[in-house]
Amino acid sequence: MAGNQLGTLFKLSTFGESHGEAIGGIIEGCPAGIAIDYTMIQYEMDRRKPGQSALVSQRKEADEVQFLSGIFEGKTTGMPIGFIIRNTNQKSADYSSNKDTYRPSHADYVYDQKYGFRDYRGGGRSSARETASWVVAGAIAKQLLSHVKINAFVSSVGPIFMEKPYQAVDFSKIESNPVRCPDPDTAAEMEDLIRQIRKEGDTIGGTVTCVIQNVPTGWGDPVFDKLHAQLGKAMLSINAVKGFEYGSGFCGAQMRGSAHNDLYNTNGTTQTNLSGGIQGGISNGMDIYFRVAFKPVATLIKEQEVLSKDGKIHIQHGEGRHDPCVVPRAVPIVEAMAAIVLADCYLRNNAYQNN
């Protein structure tokens, strides 16, 4: 069915629901002979999984990946890589109150209108649980692109922003705190705010910044498959994402061309990088950087109005286990989606080479 696949040559197809038996996927197009580091894959899964700190959902999932095909003696065979991730800690009874009601800013109502039927347990297919499969594919894509460095981090929570430019960021400090902000002082402020919001039964949004380094010139395709368009589609596919900007982004709309143009050096690099490493939809060899905006999680523990199937408004408080702020757990998801897009661009670019 449309909507369950991402990519052209490096392609991910996924299946499963939040409270079903398992989620999983099939990765096609991965070249043969890539040595698979299972420890690295589990590390990426552990970064995304719930229950990793007091700031996130306390659902306890091991998120262990079982590979079913496409890998032999630790290396990819070039065949489809099938995998599943068992759901082991569902509490479906927490969602019984949602059977006949539509939660505000969730996909409940539109799924019912589109399909005439929905899995109301934890949001079913619309749940962010789906992103675990993306992280698996992203971890394999990262191993295919071992020369490319992808680092994402939390750059804001609510009104609190990390003011450092990415060039001044020490990426090694991203995992040093539960917020995943590489500036310790800003991270402490963010953590205090999230704890406060959680006590109030509310939620808060934020942004994730991603920096991609060592991408050579030439990745991405003109017109409808521009590199930034593919990255934008991938990021806007992530649950709770409300915006995507790369390079100068919306700030560039306030500038004059004389200030915004990236002037060349004699070796083809540029003196500035307001283009965000992409020109004409094709990578230009400079760092690629972008920012992704996440809305506050829609499920609140405090009471709010909901719509029932009989067209009446009711008061209901959220149940289940939810994140007061999704951005810390979104960091590895942003990296994974970027890696999937870049792996696809890498393979497509190789197809153009006359070797």
Side-chain angles (χ1 to χ4, degrees):
M1 182 181 293
N4 296 306
Q5 296 181 339
L6 175 67
T8 302
L9 294 183
F10 189 94
K11 182 166 63 177
L12 171 67
S13 304
T14 68
F15 64 86
E17 294 82 30
S18 177
H19 285 234
E21 290 295 320
I23 57 174
I26 299 174
I27 303 166
E28 297 180 77
C30 187
I34 305 298
I36 296 300
D37 184 343
Y38 295 103
T39 301
M40 179 267 196
I41 295 173
Q42 190 59 53
Y43 170 75
E44 297 291 347
M45 295 295 288
D46 289 345
R47 295 174 72 207
R48 190 221 69 94
K49 73 179 182 181
Q52 58 187 270
S53 79
L55 300 184
V56 301
S57 165
Q58 293 306 294
R59 178 171 174 169
K60 300 293 184 182
E61 292 284 0
D63 276 358
E64 295 178 352
V65 187
Q66 179 183 356
F67 288 98
L68 306 175
S69 64
I71 301 174
F72 179 66
E73 294 183 343
K75 293 185 178 181
T76 57
T77 63
M79 299 296 105
I81 300 171
F83 64 90
I84 60 171
I85 306 161
R86 300 284 182 186
N87 291 327
T88 60
N89 192 226
Q90 311 98 309
K91 291 188 177 180
S92 300
D94 288 346
Y95 298 91
S96 58
S97 59
N98 297 331
K99 182 177 181 180
D100 298 312
T101 59
Y102 304 120
R103 299 166 295 173
S105 292
H106 283 78
D108 301 344
Y109 179 78
V110 292
Y111 265 56
D112 246 2
Q113 296 302 304
K114 181 176 179 64
Y115 299 107
F117 185 72
R118 67 184 168 94
D119 182 348
Y120 58 84
R121 304 166 303 168
R125 183 75 174 141
S126 67
S127 170
R129 179 87 183 120
E130 155 77 7
T131 62
S133 296
W134 308 353
V135 172
V136 175
I140 290 178
K142 283 184 176 182
Q143 294 180 54
L144 172 62
L145 303 171
S146 58
H147 61 291
V148 175
K149 294 182 179 180
I150 305 173
N151 288 286
F153 55 89
V154 173
S155 48
S156 75
V157 171
I160 302 172
F161 283 78
M162 189 187 77
E163 300 296 339
K164 287 182 179 179
Y166 83 83
Q167 296 91 338
V169 169
D170 182 354
F171 296 136
S172 69
K173 293 184 178 180
I174 293 172
E175 297 296 322
S176 66
N177 59 76
V179 185
R180 294 200 167 99
C181 174
D183 182 69
D185 293 336
T186 308
E189 291 183 48
M190 292 175 174
E191 187 171 346
D192 288 343
L193 177 59
I194 295 173
R195 291 183 186 278
Q196 175 191 332
I197 292 293
R198 183 170 203 149
K199 288 180 181 178
E200 296 172 1
D202 216 329
T203 61
I204 192 77
T207 60
V208 172
T209 294
C210 186
V211 181
I212 305 169
Q213 298 170 306
N214 300 337
V215 173
T217 303
W219 292 11
D221 293 283
V223 191
F224 298 120
D225 278 340
K226 293 181 173 72
L227 177 53
H228 57 271
Q230 295 180 65
L231 287 169
K233 176 184 178 181
M235 298 307 143
L236 291 166
S237 298
I238 301 173
N239 307 61
V241 168
K242 300 298 287 184
F244 167 83
E245 64 174 3
Y246 76 101
S248 62
F250 287 97
C251 291
Q254 305 172 32
M255 301 174 67
R256 297 187 181 191
S258 56
H260 190 271
N261 284 347
D262 293 319
L263 302 182
Y264 283 106
N265 297 309
T266 56
N267 63 357
T269 61
T270 55
Q271 298 173 28
T272 55
N273 188 21
L274 295 171
S275 298
I278 302 170
Q279 293 284 356
I282 298 171
S283 60
N284 66 3
M286 301 293 287
D287 292 347
I288 297 169
Y289 64 96
F290 58 84
R291 192 164 61 129
V292 187
F294 289 81
K295 71 175 183 177
V297 175
T299 299
L300 309 182
I301 302 304
K302 62 169 55 178
E303 291 184 341
Q304 62 178 339
E305 293 181 347
V306 299
L307 174 67
S308 64
K309 285 187 175 181
D310 60 10
K312 297 179 180 179
I313 300 296
H314 299 273
I315 301 297
Q316 181 177 302
H317 68 84
E319 297 185 35
R321 297 158 292 178
H322 306 280
D323 297 85
C325 180
V326 74
V327 288
R329 287 179 61 208
V331 166
I333 302 168
V334 168
E335 290 184 5
M337 293 298 270
I340 293 170
V341 168
L342 291 171
D344 196 36
C345 288
Y346 164 70
L347 295 177
R348 291 172 68 173
N349 193 61
N350 284 351
Y352 296 134
Q353 304 300 316
N354 183 19
N355 294 323

